Amino acid sequence: MLRDAVSLFEKTRSPDILRWIRSKHGMKGFSIACRAAGIKRGQGKEILGIYSDVGAIEKIATKACGMRTNIY
């Protein structure tokens, strides 16, 4: 079941298939699907629309400015 879904996602890169894999098989299945498709997990999260880079931006701003920022 997971193997078939991963194979299908590898060919189509459909967000619906990736969402189904994540809901039924959790982050482990999500990681397997991303690896099989040759994409990073961050890219997979972008495909699903659940990626937020606010934390990364805040970390860069803190290092560059030497002060804490509040982006929210």
Side-chain angles (χ1 to χ4, degrees):
M1 192 126 151
L2 175 60
R3 184 175 301 178
D4 297 334
V6 168
S7 177
L8 190 58
F9 176 69
E10 186 178 2
K11 294 174 187 169
T12 63
R13 292 195 182 180
S14 168
D16 295 329
I17 296 169
L18 188 58
R19 189 172 293 113
W20 183 86
I21 291 170
R22 187 167 183 259
S23 69
K24 297 295 181 187
H25 299 283
M27 288 305 290
K28 182 102 174 170
F30 177 80
S31 296
I32 291 169
C34 290
R35 188 177 308 129
I39 61 174
K40 295 181 179 181
R41 286 184 304 136
Q43 291 171 316
K45 289 179 180 180
E46 286 176 359
I47 289 172
L48 295 180
I50 58 174
Y51 181 75
S52 174
D53 56 0
V54 171
I57 292 170
E58 187 172 317
K59 186 185 286 186
I60 291 170
T62 301
K63 287 183 178 181
C65 301
M67 55 190 245
R68 295 190 66 71
T69 59
N70 190 359
I71 299 176
Y72 301 106

